[in-house]
Every structure is written in C-alpha cells, then in structure tokens.
Amino acid sequence: MRIRLAEIIHIEDIELAKKCARGDDKARKELYTRYAGSLYALCVRYVGDRELARDLMHDSMIKVFDTIGKYKPTGSLKSWVSKVTVNLVIDHIRKSRKFQTVSLEEKQERIPEPDKEEMRLVPKEELMKMVTRLPDTKRVIFNMFCVEGYSHKDIAAMLGIKEKTSSSLLFKARMQLADEVREYIRRND
C-alpha cells in the first residue's frame, strides 16, 4: 500500500492541529513558523500597510490558537488558517473603515485586460505593488474575488454592501490594474 505525499502532509496537519488544541507550545511555535510568512503577505495584500499587516497577522495567529479546536480536517490546515485570517482582516476593515458607495453604471464597458504574454513582462513583485496601491475598497474586493475566490454574494454579505457594488468595484479595480500594467510595460519596453 502506497501513501501519497499529500496524505502524509494532511496527517501531519491533523496532528499539529490536535497538539495546538491541547496547548502544546512546541506545536504552536511550529504552526506559527510554518504559516506566519504567508499570513503576513495575505494581510499586506488586503490592507496595504506593512505595520498594520504585521499586527493583523499576529492577531490572526492568536485567533487561530484560540479556535484551532474547530479545525475540521476536510481541507488543509493552511486553507483553514488563511480563512481565519481573511475573516479577521475583513472584520477589522469593516469596523475601521466605511466602504465607499459608488455610482453604478448599467453598462460597464469591457476593458481589454493584458494578455498572458504582456503579464509575463511584469515581475510578480511589481504586480503585488500594483494591487497594494489600489484604494482600500477596490483592493479588498479584488483580493476577495480574484485571490480568495469569494462570490460577489459572499463579498456583499461579509462587507455589508450590495452585490452590484462589489461587482462595480471589482470592475474598477481591474480597470486600474490593467492601466498600471500597460503603463509599466510602456515604461520598461
């Protein structure tokens, strides 16, 4: 009988979560070491402020440790920890900022997005900088929809906005990013 690497990792995730739930400090340190970097990057993507992102990442780790007993091994531990972090960041954003209301156009023009070849001309670090420069509401919705995979219905419920507002802000974020990508390519061509 052959065990796949993914199954071994999943078993390790379950054991690590169980040890953390029992208050094992060594396991908690392991979990922190394993995920702190990616959670920090996730927080930076949402809030665009490195200092605030560091605070939110630490808060999310505390929440993870407090709620790890609720982890269900139906998915990876990393996915669960990331979801806890996204929810914490969204709560913070919702409490600290009011989302802008936007006028909705009945017809949104189709903005040509850069093709894959153009995208290869832009380093990943530059793309991340472009995302972090988006205004708060656009950045949050872009991350929730494009990176985390939430639907507009889910985004609307989580942020207390209308689905059409979410859709409109995503459209505007994509338009802004497409402009920045084209400008970057033009400057570096």
Side-chain angles (χ1 to χ4, degrees):
M1 184 160 133
R2 233 167 109 192
I3 298 177
R4 295 183 325 199
L5 181 59
E7 291 169 343
I8 293 171
I9 292 170
H10 188 65
I11 291 167
E12 287 176 2
D13 282 354
I14 294 168
E15 287 305 310
L16 181 60
K18 284 179 182 177
K19 288 177 182 177
C20 287
R22 289 192 300 262
D24 182 326
D25 286 336
K26 187 176 177 185
R28 287 180 173 185
K29 183 178 180 183
E30 168 67 25
L31 186 121
Y32 186 91
T33 302
R34 192 183 290 183
Y35 299 119
S38 63
L39 296 181
Y40 172 70
L42 186 149
C43 292
V44 169
R45 247 189 6 249
Y46 273 86
V47 297
D49 176 311
R50 294 187 180 283
E51 194 64 35
L52 177 58
R54 193 174 351 273
D55 291 344
L56 290 170
M57 184 273 299
H58 287 296
D59 290 349
S60 74
M61 290 303 295
I62 291 167
K63 182 153 185 137
V64 164
F65 294 142
D66 288 346
T67 61
I68 196 137
K70 296 179 182 179
Y71 166 65
K72 302 279 188 263
T74 54
S76 75
L77 184 57
K78 182 177 183 175
S79 295
W80 183 81
V81 169
S82 296
K83 186 169 180 124
V84 168
T85 303
V86 167
N87 289 334
L88 182 128
V89 171
I90 296 303
D91 280 348
H92 168 79
I93 290 168
R94 196 174 334 124
K95 289 175 185 172
S96 65
R97 299 180 180 121
K98 293 190 181 211
F99 280 91
Q100 303 168 354
T101 55
V102 294
S103 61
L104 300 173
E105 303 86 23
E106 286 301 312
K107 273 184 157 175
Q108 293 178 341
E109 294 178 36
R110 173 81 177 120
I111 302 297
E113 293 186 17
D115 64 28
K116 288 181 183 180
E117 196 54 45
E118 288 176 312
M119 293 303 292
R120 287 188 184 116
L121 300 173
V122 182
K124 184 179 178 182
E125 299 79 33
E126 276 303 313
L127 288 172
M128 293 309 297
K129 286 179 187 175
M130 290 174 191
V131 170
T132 59
R133 285 193 301 261
L134 287 170
D136 295 339
T137 52
K138 291 178 187 175
R139 183 178 57 248
V140 168
I141 290 171
F142 177 85
N143 279 303
M144 291 181 79
F145 188 89
C146 296
V147 179
E148 306 299 331
Y150 288 104
S151 69
H152 287 297
K153 183 178 183 178
D154 293 337
I155 294 168
M158 291 173 80
L159 300 179
I161 60 176
K162 295 180 180 177
E163 283 183 56
K164 288 195 179 237
T165 301
S166 174
S167 175
S168 178
L169 286 168
L170 177 63
F171 172 79
K172 290 176 181 184
R174 283 182 164 165
M175 190 168 54
Q176 183 176 338
L177 289 172
D179 288 344
E180 285 199 45
V181 166
R182 282 190 212 87
E183 179 60 23
Y184 178 88
I185 292 169
R186 188 190 64 71
R187 279 192 328 261
N188 295 290
D189 200 14

